[in-house]
Amino acid sequence: GAVNLEIRSNPEDIGWRVVDDEAGRSIFGYSAGWYEEPGDFVQFINLQTGVWEFQVFRDSVDADAVVEIGIVNTATGDFEVIDTLDFATSSDNVLTTMFTLD
């Protein structure tokens, strides 16, 4: 899997994680405070088959980011977007999406 994160403002207030939905535990991510500058960030994640929850969160409503969670096709190199989460279209401080890998 892959996370394509664009932080627009207040990067120190943005974090994200991938949660194993069946076990209920976070397996990977970055807490708020990790990012220091606005910009584009790509992170590759080795996920096995299963049900996963992706969470992006912010500590302040002034923080703004958009994130695409997806799969990298190893044969073509294409990034196949599963879902897009965007704080610009939400007043929530946590945005989530569920996905299944077969």
Side-chain angles (χ1 to χ4, degrees), residues 50-90:
V51 180
W52 304 97
E53 179 177 339
F54 180 82
Q55 303 171 351
V56 60
F57 50 90
R58 60 184 173 183
D59 289 345
S60 164
V61 293
D62 295 328
D64 188 23
V66 60
V67 63
E68 295 173 325
I69 182 76
I71 304 296
V72 176
N73 183 318
T74 56
T76 65
D78 291 338
F79 181 67
E80 302 168 9
V81 176
I82 294 172
D83 204 353
T84 301
L85 304 173
D86 192 345
F87 282 121
T89 60
S90 175

Side-chain angles (χ1 to χ4, degrees), residues 1-2 6 18 22-23 28 30-31 34 42 46-47 54 56 73 79 92 94-95:
E6 177 189 352
V18 177
E22 293 169 2
F28 192 81
Y30 292 101
S31 60
W34 178 262
V42 176
N46 184 16
L47 297 174
F54 180 82
V56 60
N73 183 318
F79 181 67
D92 295 333
V94 178
L95 302 176

